[in-house]
């Protein structure tokens, strides 16, 4: 499962939601995000941008 330091989700109405230090999984229906606040499912996804600035660890 990919890990992102910063994940930006662009919605169909061009609004953006930013997440920090998350794991995520893209699906046909949207994106599932796991963070310190818990699990979240976003279905209104136009585009995503994920940035990883430190080396990945298992």
């Amino acid at each position: 499962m990919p890990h992102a330091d910063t994940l930006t989700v662009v919605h169909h109405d061009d609004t953006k939601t930013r997440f920090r230090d998350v794991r995520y999984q893209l699906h046909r229906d949207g994106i599932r995000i796991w963070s310190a606040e818990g699990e979240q499912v976003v279905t209104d996804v136009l585009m995503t941008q994920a940035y990883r600035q430190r080396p990945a660890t298992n």
Side-chain angles (χ1 to χ4, degrees):
M1 183 175 322
H3 186 201
D5 292 325
T6 304
L7 175 68
T8 303
V9 177
V10 180
H11 304 276
H12 288 284
D13 62 358
D14 290 331
T15 59
K16 296 178 184 177
T17 306
R18 287 194 171 85
F19 302 91
R20 300 231 185 266
D21 195 28
V22 297
R23 294 209 177 262
Y24 63 95
Q25 193 172 41
L26 292 168
H27 295 275
R28 183 188 302 202
D29 303 357
I31 187 169
R32 185 175 301 261
I33 301 165
W34 291 271
S35 67
E37 291 81 36
E39 183 178 348
Q40 188 173 8
V41 176
V42 180
T43 58
D44 178 28
V45 178
L46 177 65
M47 180 180 77
T48 60
Q49 294 176 326
Y51 295 99
R52 181 79 179 163
Q53 296 161 333
R54 56 188 167 183
T57 60
N58 290 337

